[in-house]
Amino acid sequence: LVRTKLRNDAATRLESTSKSYGLLVFERLRQTDEALTEIAALGLTDRLRLDDIRAFSPSHFKVVDVVPEAATPTDRGPLGRQTSLALQGTEVRVTVTQDRGPRRLQITAALDPSYLWNPDPVSLDSMRICVYGPKSESLQCVDEDDTTEAAANPLSGEWSLFLAPRYGAPGWLVRTEQPASVALSALASFERTLPIVTLIGIGIALLLSTVQIRRSHRPLALLTDAVE
């Protein structure tokens, strides 16, 4: 029973880590598309030249395509903006299409992997976190030193990152693995101390039983002495 509970607790903890990391990645995607939206708005009001947009390369993404075109009422998104996400191999690209009156500007940026997959805010503790694309292809794996190979028979927890509501793209799977020796360290400690605790408990029980037996027999001994 104790073993089962500790395993379930470990699996729940790993699933929670997968969720935390998945939400972190999603937040970075969202920040990128909002930055592209602001850039597109500047371009549509002629406050930023298209050549400057094409050359724009901040620390966490790089603009790879800029397409000006005419907007049509039939394909306008809510609030005049559309966002999408695509994979070029393992490279993640976000596209924002912004409308302003009859004008439209589409900007595509490739995210810097060191920014998108950075696990620093997540406590790894010998964990290995992998993100898989819609075809189960590995997009990225991170661990404490980025060199640790997958452990044999690890415990794992998964969480699905849904991208369709914001980007119209298939979701990703976030999977966190941890060696059983680390995930179940509490169980190993419990199994080491259980025999000792059991023996101590048996010894105390025997001692108390002996004392109780002697106390219960004392009146009988006194009666026997009086008869003699």
Side-chain angles (χ1 to χ4, degrees):
L1 181 61
V2 174
R3 177 186 291 270
T4 301
K5 185 181 185 306
L6 289 175
R7 279 186 172 273
N8 291 340
D9 289 347
T12 300
R13 185 174 65 254
L14 294 174
E15 181 180 346
S16 177
T17 300
S18 295
K19 180 178 180 179
S20 297
Y21 185 71
L23 292 175
L24 178 66
V25 170
F26 184 83
E27 176 62 18
R28 289 167 177 167
L29 292 171
R30 187 191 64 80
Q31 289 176 357
T32 300
D33 76 57
E34 289 188 349
L36 294 178
T37 299
E38 294 178 3
I39 295 171
L42 292 174
L44 289 170
T45 55
D46 297 322
R47 286 184 288 174
L48 195 60
R49 296 186 308 156
L50 295 185
D51 287 342
D52 292 334
I53 296 177
R54 292 187 177 97
F56 194 65
S57 181
S59 60
H60 58 284
F61 67 84
K62 178 180 180 181
V63 174
V64 295
D65 193 24
V66 179
V67 180
E69 56 185 18
T72 59
T74 57
D75 60 355
R76 288 180 182 175
L79 303 178
R81 187 186 80 154
Q82 298 178 21
T83 58
S84 61
L85 183 148
L87 295 172
Q88 297 287 329
T90 58
E91 183 181 71
V92 180
R93 294 188 175 189
V94 171
T95 298
V96 168
T97 304
Q98 181 80 8
D99 294 342
R100 182 180 176 84
R103 301 177 63 187
R104 166 173 293 174
L105 188 60
Q106 178 179 288
I107 304 176
T108 300
L111 280 85
D112 183 352
S114 63
Y115 164 75
L116 179 61
W117 309 117
N118 185 355
D120 283 351
V122 178
S123 177
L124 293 178
D125 189 21
S126 301
M127 297 177 185
R128 180 180 177 86
I129 307 176
C130 293
V131 181
Y132 298 93
K135 298 179 181 179
S136 299
E137 72 276 26
S138 176
L139 301 180
Q140 182 72 22
C141 287
V142 297
D143 49 41
E144 285 184 316
D145 56 10
D146 291 329
T147 58
T148 304
E149 296 182 358
N153 300 319
L155 295 184
S156 64
E158 299 178 350
W159 187 75
S160 295
L161 174 57
F162 294 103
L163 300 171
R166 189 176 183 92
Y167 299 106
W172 297 344
L173 178 69
V174 184
R175 180 184 178 90
T176 301
E177 297 180 348
Q178 190 177 41
S181 59
V182 178
L184 300 177
S185 57
L187 176 60
S189 176
F190 173 78
E191 290 179 337
R192 285 195 302 268
T193 58
L194 180 60
I196 299 174
V197 173
T198 301
L199 289 174
I200 293 175
I202 292 173
I204 293 175
L206 289 174
L207 179 60
L208 292 176
S209 298
T210 302
V211 172
Q212 186 63 30
I213 290 172
R214 287 182 177 178
R215 285 180 177 178
S216 63
H217 286 180
R218 186 175 181 184
L220 180 60
L222 293 175
L223 181 60
T224 301
D225 291 342
V227 170
E228 291 178 352

